[in-house]
Each structure stands twice: as C-alpha cells, then as structure tokens.
Amino acid sequence: MFDKSFYDLTFGVDPGGARKDAHFISATLDEVKEDLASELAEEINLYLMCWYGARLSLDVYQHGELAESIDLHPFITISIQGYPDITFAGPGEPIGYDFEADEGEEGDDEADDEEEQNEADSLSERMFAGELGDKVTVSVDWARTHVPPLTGEVVGPDDTVQLAPRSGYRPLASYGFSDFEM
C-alpha cells in the first residue's frame, strides 16, 4: 500500500495568525492542475500566499518515497484589474506589489458609499474579504514546471499513502483531499 507512486499538492501556512495544511493526493498531473485551480480560485488562498507566505509545492513520490519537491510559486501569476501582475520568487516573496505597505493602510470608516470604501481598502484586505471577484485571474505556467511522470504502480481512489516525515511523524493521507489542520 505504501509503495505506490503519487503526487502530493501541498498548500500550507505555519501556525500563527493563519493556519492551513492541505494536501491533495493524486495519480495524474491533470488532477493536480484541477486541484490547484480550485485552491487558487479562492481569494483567501491568494491572500495567504501574498501576505502569509504560504507554502505551495508539488511533491512527487516514486514507489512511496519522496523523489522531488517542486516549489510552485515561481510559476504562478496573479493578475488583478488595476494592479501590476503579482509573481513570486518563492514562498513569502511576492513581486509586483508591496503587501507590507498595506499594513499601515486602513479604509475610511466614515465612507458613505460601499464602492468608495472598497477602493480605500488595501489590496490585502480586499483579498482577505473576497471582494475582488472577476477582477482577479490566476495562471500557472505548467510548461516550465518539469513535473516528472510517475513510475511503477500508481495510487488509486481507495488508497492511503504515507507522506514524508514532518515534526517527528509520518502522516497518512487518503487519495484526494486531506486537511491536517482540522
């Protein structure tokens, strides 16, 4: 059971102001792409990447052993109408917008018009609140990622896998979605 090959799409934030430890176990790159698109469609996850430096990687397990870990940050572009594109040098390293400058900005609490209030809010606040809607698009340059194909027997929907050691233990994850922050 533990010697099968699989992909583990991981999206996480260390405990602190926010927490997330999501894993998507899959057998194909198409599944990985769908899972990542679903995660990046949620503005709160974009906020976690930009503000909290969330980890986002694709771990490739061959025959049950971690063979490669690919940081996906450099392949992601967040486009928001009215702002420059945001790319990443790595976790916690957004390029194109200074999210730390948002820290001191606050919206005008006395604004009469909700639209005027939204324009006064910082980009990070708007991401957090999910207010960007169709003004945001996210793309992943999969052509540059060089994800190796799985070899040997591949994990299936009824399988459980063992992940690489973390904090002194090796967590078990089922095919599909697992959340270790529950």
Side-chain angles (χ1 to χ4, degrees):
M1 159 165 66
F2 295 133
D3 61 350
K4 294 184 179 181
S5 298
F6 61 94
Y7 296 116
D8 175 17
L9 174 64
T10 66
F11 194 120
V13 177
D14 292 328
R19 302 181 100 160
K20 184 173 182 109
D21 194 10
H23 293 258
F24 297 85
I25 307 301
S26 59
T28 69
L29 190 52
D30 285 340
E31 289 174 291
V32 170
K33 290 176 181 180
E34 288 175 22
D35 292 335
L36 183 57
S38 176
E39 283 292 286
L40 296 179
E42 296 181 32
E43 288 178 46
I44 190 67
N45 289 332
L46 302 180
Y47 171 81
L48 292 174
M49 286 178 57
C50 294
W51 186 253
Y52 277 97
R55 295 178 316 279
L56 180 60
S57 64
L58 177 58
D59 294 340
V60 181
Y61 286 77
Q62 303 287 14
H63 308 284
E65 295 297 321
L66 180 60
E68 187 171 348
S69 185
I70 302 166
D71 177 16
L72 294 177
H73 288 88
F75 309 106
I76 293 175
T77 301
I78 302 171
S79 300
I80 303 168
Q81 185 179 346
Y83 295 91
D85 283 352
I86 301 166
T87 58
F88 297 86
E93 300 177 41
I95 300 168
Y97 187 81
D98 184 2
F99 285 90
E100 289 187 18
D102 275 358
E103 189 174 341
E105 291 183 25
E106 293 184 23
D108 178 6
D109 292 334
E110 309 254 338
D112 295 329
D113 183 25
E114 186 176 317
E115 185 174 320
E116 186 178 308
Q117 175 66 36
N118 288 343
E119 289 175 7
D121 289 344
S122 68
L123 179 58
S124 59
E125 288 171 334
R126 294 178 67 203
M127 275 182 181
F128 180 79
E131 296 175 349
L132 297 172
D134 61 357
K135 294 179 182 178
V136 62
T137 58
V138 182
S139 60
V140 181
D141 188 353
W142 286 107
R144 291 189 314 119
T145 59
H146 307 293
V147 178
L150 297 177
T151 60
E153 189 176 357
V154 178
V155 71
D158 296 328
D159 290 327
T160 299
V161 297
Q162 193 165 35
L163 303 178
R166 301 176 35 207
S167 304
Y169 76 103
R170 290 191 71 167
L172 297 177
S174 298
Y175 188 90
F177 175 74
S178 294
D179 184 356
F180 294 107
E181 280 300 325
M182 291 174 136

